[in-house]
Every structure is written in C-alpha cells, then in structure tokens.
C-alpha cells in the first residue's frame, strides 16, 4: 500500500485520476456514464454535478460499500432549491466486472480506475471481453499503477496494495491495451497522472498510467458480443436515485412562477400586471428551452392560483400585492 506518513502528490493521486475523468466528461459531455469498481463513490459524487449526464451508474462487488454510498448520493437541499435542467438518475449495482449485464450496454463512457490490478490475469481477460466486447461503450478510460514508478515511492516494498495481483510496466500495459484494440475494434491514447521528479519523467513515466479507448466504426469491429433477446441481469440493483429536474412538470411550474413574478416586477405599474406570454417566453433562455411552445407555457401556468389568463389567452395577469410575503411563504413551502 502506498505510504501515508507524508504526502507524495498534491493534489493526491486519486484526486488527479478523478480530475482527469471529470475534465474528460466536462469537455465531451457524455450522457450515460458508468464507473466500474466505484468503491466509496468519490468519483460518482464528483460527476453528479455535471449538467449533461442523464444516467450515472456505479458497479462494485462490495455490497456494504454501495449501501453506504446510496445515502451519500441522495440529492442535497440545494438540488431542490435549484433543480437541474436535465434529468439525472444514479444507479448502483452489486456485481463483478467480469460478468455481463445488459443494463450496462450502450454507454457513452465507462471508467475503470485502479481496478484491473485487483483481478487475476484470467479475470482480466474476462473483464476485457465484458467491457469492450459486451458493454462496448463509445469511450473507456482505464487506469492502473505503473510499476516502473515504484522505486520512487519511499518506504514501498512489493506492490502498492496487498490486494494487487500484479502491477504492469508501461510496456505491459501498452501490450494489453493494443490487444484490446485489435480484438474489439478500438483505438487508444496513453497518458497518466502523477508526474515523476524533474529529469525522470521519460525514464519512469507517470505514477498512474491511463489508457483512453475510443470505439471505431461499426464495420471495423470484431469479436463483439452479439445482442441477446433474453436479457442477462446478473447484477443486483442496490439503489436508484432520481434528482429533481426542471423536466419534471412540478419543478418546472415552480421555476416558471419565479420567472413570471421576476418579469412582472420589471413591468410593474400597479398591484396587477399583465405579462404577455411572448415577453415571458423571451425573458429567460431556460423558458424557451424547457417549454415546447407558447401554448405549452400557457398550459403550465393556467392552473396556478396566483396567475390569471387574459381573456384572449395571450397574457397572464399577476397580482403583486404583498408579493414579498408571498415569496417568503413559497420559499418555506
């Protein structure tokens, strides 16, 4: 296990690995993301704040970790006060990464951070088949320790963790990754985190080596696991967590009311203000993004107790009297 008496990397090596994934997701905006071997869920907790992810899945063999994690991944009070624009569902599954579960197929991104070194070499082959042949994500990010860096780690004898079955050199990791590309139709880039001291980077490489796999065109792929009409579901679902979203009509109505009153105050000429729907539509970019049309906007507002439609339905009439008190009551509710 890595020495803990003094800090070797700042930020920590784990933080650097997770930041690498975070930056990739922020730049490439995958919608469906899965983390294999999610352990304590620190990567999932970081990724859940990115607005473009709609499905975030964690898989681990240790059920007790997942049970604890599901409480840590619950929506925060701020998630209800300021709901996301897009929907987010977080799901946790207990199972082995060598198993093939159809619910993990078709993802945009699958990560495996410091996982494969905990597998036997036979299980690494099963893992490769499951991840690249069966799940077949658009992108996969795999990291593992670089054994060439180990002599630079003070106090380290043997592997970095007692559960590691192996630790690869850069050449061994590259050999495995290129075979994956040949077998399953991917291309790969190599990088890493945890730089060596000045003058030693080329000699020993990164402390944690990373391969970013990208799937090639369908016609270039081989050894891909065929589709199966009968679903294979070996994983046990531990949790499914839904985050509040403006795509939900109740949250959307609350948001629209807040925007309506804000717009009405700028037009205020008395206790009652008439706000044309066209003006409200252009008031906030989110309104036109979330409402399909003016008629949809009208339907969302027409049943609200504090809002009255004009006779021709082209505007809403808002009562602003004692509005400060009303807003306090809304916040409490």
């Amino acid at each position: 296990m890595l020495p803990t008496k003094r800090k070797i990397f700042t930020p920590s090596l784990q933080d650097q690995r997770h930041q690498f994934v975070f930056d990739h997701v922020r730049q490439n905006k995958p919608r469906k993301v899965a983390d294999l071997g999610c352990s304590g869920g620190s990567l999932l907790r970081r990724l859940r704040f990115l607005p473009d992810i709609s499905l975030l899945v964690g898989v681990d063999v240790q059920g007790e970790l997942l049970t604890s994690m599901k409480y840590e991944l619950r929506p925060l009070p701020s998630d209800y006060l300021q709901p996301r624009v897009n929907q987010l569902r977080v799901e946790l599954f207990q199972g082995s990464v060598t198993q093939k579960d159809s619910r993990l197929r078709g993802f945009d991104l699958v990560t495996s951070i410091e996982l494969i070194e905990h597998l036997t070499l036979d299980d690494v082959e099963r893992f490769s088949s499951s991840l690249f042949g069966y799940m077949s994500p658009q992108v996969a990010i795999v990291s593992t320790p670089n054994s060439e860096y180990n002599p630079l780690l003070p106090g380290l004898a043997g592997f970095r963790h007692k559960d590691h079955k192996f630790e690869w050199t850069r050449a061994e990791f590259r050999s495995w990754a290129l075979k994956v590309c040949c077998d399953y139709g991917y291309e790969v880039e190599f990088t890493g985190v945890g730089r060596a001291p000045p003058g030693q980077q080329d000699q020993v490489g990164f402390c944690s080596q990373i391969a970013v796999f990208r799937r090639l065109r369908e016609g270039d792929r081989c050894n891909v696991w065929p589709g199966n009409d009968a679903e294979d579901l070996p994983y046990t679902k531990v949790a499914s967590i839904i985050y509040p979203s403006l795509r939900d009509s109740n949250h959307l109505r609350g948001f629209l009311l807040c925007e309506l009153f804000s717009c009405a105050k700028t037009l205020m000429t008395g206790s009652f203000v008439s706000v044309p729907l066209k003006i409200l539509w252009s008031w906030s970019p989110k309104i036109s993004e979330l409402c399909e049309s003016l008629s949809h906007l009208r339907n969302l507002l027409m049943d609200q107790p504090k809002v009255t439609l004009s006779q021709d339905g082209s505007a809403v009439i808002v009562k602003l009297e004692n509005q400060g008190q009303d807003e306090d009551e809304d916040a409490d509710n």
Side-chain angles (χ1 to χ4, degrees):
M1 184 179 296
L2 276 175
T4 57
K5 289 186 178 180
R6 67 183 184 86
K7 206 166 187 179
I8 302 173
F9 295 102
T10 304
S12 71
L13 201 58
Q14 175 177 276
D15 285 344
Q16 291 186 49
R17 290 190 292 260
H18 290 177
Q19 187 64 44
F20 179 89
V21 175
F22 183 91
D23 291 340
H24 176 92
V25 173
R26 185 168 53 185
Q27 180 178 355
N28 294 278
K29 298 178 172 49
R31 300 286 291 170
K32 297 172 64 177
V33 179
D35 182 29
L36 305 182
C38 60
S39 187
S42 57
L43 179 57
L44 297 179
R45 288 195 296 273
R46 182 176 294 195
L47 293 179
R48 65 176 170 167
F49 293 108
L50 292 175
D52 295 292
I53 297 178
S54 61
L55 176 60
L56 187 58
V57 169
V59 178
D60 203 276
V61 72
Q62 301 184 63
E64 63 276 10
L65 283 177
L66 298 172
T67 300
S68 173
M69 194 192 314
K70 71 180 182 181
Y71 297 107
E72 298 175 6
L73 286 169
R74 289 179 300 184
L76 302 171
S78 58
D79 292 316
Y80 290 96
L81 293 173
Q82 293 183 317
R84 298 164 53 97
V85 172
N86 297 315
Q87 294 174 331
L88 170 63
R89 185 170 81 255
V90 178
E91 294 187 340
L92 303 176
F93 292 99
Q94 181 182 4
S96 169
V97 295
T98 62
Q99 295 174 298
K100 298 177 174 69
D101 191 297
S102 60
R103 289 168 291 188
L104 272 292
R105 290 173 69 98
F107 275 61
D108 302 305
L109 171 66
V110 174
T111 63
S112 170
I113 306 302
E114 307 297 286
L115 168 67
I116 57 174
E117 64 275 4
H118 294 271
L119 306 175
T120 65
L121 291 178
D122 287 340
D123 278 342
V124 170
E125 290 299 313
R126 298 184 185 96
F127 165 79
S128 301
S129 173
S130 175
L131 172 56
F132 299 100
Y134 185 77
M135 297 180 195
S136 192
Q138 294 289 339
V139 177
I141 298 177
V142 178
S143 80
T144 192
N146 169 22
S147 63
E148 295 172 76
Y149 198 104
N150 287 356
L152 300 182
L153 300 175
L156 178 65
F159 291 154
R160 299 183 193 180
H161 192 282
K162 62 182 180 181
D163 188 55
H164 286 185
K165 306 302 188 294
F166 61 86
E167 289 179 0
W168 278 335
T169 64
R170 287 174 290 173
E172 289 169 327
F173 185 48
R174 184 180 182 87
S175 176
W176 168 78
L178 292 177
K179 184 176 185 301
V180 162
C181 292
C182 179
D183 288 346
Y184 301 107
Y186 280 78
E187 60 183 5
V188 65
E189 280 182 50
F190 297 98
T191 182
V193 294
R195 295 188 67 84
Q200 300 185 60
Q201 182 65 35
D202 292 339
Q203 179 183 352
V204 301
F206 291 100
C207 186
S208 187
Q209 49 190 339
I210 296 174
V212 181
F213 298 86
R214 291 180 174 83
R215 199 173 73 191
L216 298 173
R217 300 188 309 272
E218 296 293 326
D220 297 333
R221 301 168 64 199
C222 53
N223 292 348
V224 177
W225 194 276
N228 192 345
D229 293 336
E231 285 192 325
D232 297 315
L233 306 173
Y235 291 168
T236 300
K237 183 182 286 190
V238 175
S240 182
I241 305 163
I242 307 296
Y243 278 69
S245 161
L246 294 179
R247 301 293 179 184
D248 177 89
S249 58
N250 290 327
H251 293 298
L252 178 55
R253 284 189 177 96
F255 166 75
L256 290 176
L257 282 177
C258 289
E259 294 297 287
L260 172 60
F261 285 118
S262 177
C263 181
K265 286 178 182 177
T266 66
L267 304 173
M268 183 166 42
T269 56
S271 298
F272 292 90
V273 179
S274 177
V275 180
L277 288 175
K278 289 184 178 180
I279 290 182
L280 180 59
W281 176 271
S282 60
W283 174 255
S284 165
K286 283 186 180 179
I287 293 179
S288 55
E289 177 185 354
L290 294 164
C291 299
E292 300 171 357
S293 62
L294 286 176
S295 60
H296 185 209
L297 175 59
R298 183 188 301 111
N299 291 336
L300 287 167
L301 291 172
M302 64 186 303
D303 295 329
Q304 301 305 304
K306 297 179 183 179
V307 175
T308 304
L309 285 176
S310 64
Q311 190 170 9
D312 62 358
S314 65
V316 286
I317 301 170
V318 182
K319 182 181 179 181
L320 292 177
E321 192 175 48
N322 297 324
Q323 186 56 36
Q325 178 181 345
D326 292 340
E327 286 178 345
D328 290 340
E329 292 174 357
D330 289 340
D332 292 338
N333 289 334

